[in-house]
Amino acid sequence: MWTARLRPTPRAKRSASLVPSWGGGGRLRVPAPPRVPLPSQPRGEGRLRLRPRPAASPAAPERARGVGTPPSPLGGWGDPCAARPPCIPGRSAGRARSSPHGAAPPCPAAARAMRAAPSCRCPAAWPWLLGVCCAGILLASGAAGAHPRGGGMNVLFIVADDLRPALGCYGDSLVKSPNIDQLASRSVVFQNAYAQQAVCAPSRVSFLTGRRPDTTRLYDFHSYWRVQAGNYSTIPQYFKENGYTAMSVGKVFHPGISSNHSDDYPYSWSMPPFHPSAEKYENTKTCRGKDGELHANLVCPVDVTEMPLGTLPDIQSTEEAIRLLNIMRMKNRKFFLAVGYHKPHIPLRYPQEFLKLYPLENITLAPDPLVPEELPAVAYNPWTDIRQREDVQALNVSFPYGPIPEDFQRQIRQSYFAAVSYLDTQVGLLLNALDDAGLSNNTIVVFTADHGLDAQLV
């Protein structure tokens, strides 16, 4: 894993003008239940080993971005439709990317490594972005941030849920994701990253332990790898055991038995993980239908002020993450902060303002909606979780292969894209806060997703 250090550039603020100042509900901290005892194992066995980071590479100063360009309602790139950093799949991940607002210099060491690896030119399966804030992720503040006690870089690890590469930086011309695109334009963008399992729990355990599901023995949601497979260390655990404050906000591990009903606390985290109090309403009847009644729908744009607690889980997660960043700044501590966002996972519940970005007449159908003729039945996903939603039940779609009506397919795609833009705004708010706290110059930012979503629908 390669990084590079560049001189800071003038900061381009990300805008959150589409998001009103909703009040976030109170935080919910639930004491962890008794944990399953671990099998005896010598300390250090199965531990994650990180290779040391190469020496920093000098780089030329960068030109300020966005000069003379009116701010976008979604982010700092100006017009989100016209000004996209062209990090198109198929290009080398370490190669410099140009944009109308100035060229982003490459990370020299990463560029050499990526050019030497032909696999890095393959299309992406789901997004992975990596870089150092002052070197390719954020437009750093003018003043250098204080380095935490003990040296070393901080880590901000952002995980989206069910996000396929429906992003401008992966070549999607419809989706408006200016904040993530800005991040990608100055990052190492992995074009050949694949989910180990197309289910939340095994995928997250896989990339958080660095081990395949065949090793963790987790293919579903019903076992805890430390008991069933091995007492394997996790990435946050490695940082915690090496002097970092490791913190979890939102959905990082999948909740339940697959993380010991505790998000793997206290092994992976320095403090109990934070879960937003609005999370418990995620699958309840909060979607107002055309009949004026509340339903548990798949497609669910909402008036946030009418929601229980007057907020949504991802808004609360952003607020908590910002609070923790400021605490780490004041205490001058090294940190590993993981922030897990719920969207664009179903239900597609997001602030209704984001629908305006995607007029229904502009939404096309998925390019490959048909079931392959020779597909084995065992390989087909009849999307039973989607069928449980009230608006889908009303369609009376036959099981298992019955097609969803085309007009509703368009509504699903419209809401998925709107949920991605909502996620993008939360990411922009979080990165702005990192910048404002003066932590941009010494924080590595990683943005990824656990797996994608069914291409037949999206």
Side-chain angles (χ1 to χ4, degrees), residues 72-128:
S72 160
L74 279 177
W77 277 104
D79 180 2
C81 299
R84 289 197 179 280
C87 45
I88 307 301
R91 299 182 62 177
S92 176
R95 189 176 299 171
R97 291 158 174 81
S98 60
S99 83
H101 304 285
C107 170
R112 289 194 297 272
M114 293 299 177
R115 281 195 293 269
S119 63
C120 294
R121 302 172 189 270
C122 297
W126 99 115
W128 265 95

Side-chain angles (χ1 to χ4, degrees), residues 7-232:
R7 278 178 275 182
T9 61
R11 181 173 61 195
K13 288 296 260 184
R14 299 162 190 81
S15 170
S17 58
L18 280 182
V19 182
S21 56
W22 300 305
R27 301 194 311 280
L28 178 66
R29 292 192 182 277
V30 181
R35 289 170 296 280
V36 178
L38 299 180
S40 60
Q41 182 172 347
R43 181 174 176 81
E45 185 175 339
R47 288 280 166 81
L48 175 70
R49 294 285 182 257
L50 299 183
R51 298 173 62 184
R53 183 162 53 91
S57 304
E62 297 181 67
R63 192 165 77 237
R65 297 178 187 272
V67 177
T69 305
S72 160
L74 279 177
W77 277 104
D79 180 2
C81 299
R84 289 197 179 280
C87 45
I88 307 301
R91 299 182 62 177
S92 176
R95 189 176 299 171
R97 291 158 174 81
S98 60
S99 83
H101 304 285
C107 170
R112 289 194 297 272
M114 293 299 177
R115 281 195 293 269
S119 63
C120 294
R121 302 172 189 270
C122 297
W126 99 115
W128 265 95
L129 315 179
L130 169 69
V132 180
C133 286
C134 65
I137 289 198
L138 294 177
L139 300 179
S141 56
H147 285 270
R149 285 199 299 265
M153 304 290 287
N154 302 311
V155 178
L156 176 59
F157 189 84
I158 306 171
V159 185
D161 201 347
D162 282 15
L163 175 64
R164 56 189 287 111
L167 299 167
C169 64
Y170 278 94
D172 195 306
S173 60
L174 178 61
V175 175
K176 297 173 176 58
S177 52
N179 294 300
I180 297 172
D181 293 350
Q182 185 186 60
L183 179 72
S185 72
R186 304 187 58 207
S187 302
V188 176
V189 179
F190 291 85
Q191 306 285 1
N192 190 20
Y194 294 91
Q196 293 290 335
Q197 185 87 2
V199 183
C200 294
S203 174
R204 289 167 186 261
V205 168
S206 179
F207 67 68
L208 287 168
T209 61
R211 297 174 185 274
R212 298 184 181 93
D214 286 344
T215 301
T216 64
R217 299 181 187 173
L218 180 63
Y219 304 98
D220 47 33
F221 305 93
H222 308 308
S223 65
Y224 182 38
W225 83 90
R226 292 189 189 271
V227 173
Q228 299 297 324
N231 189 16
Y232 304 126

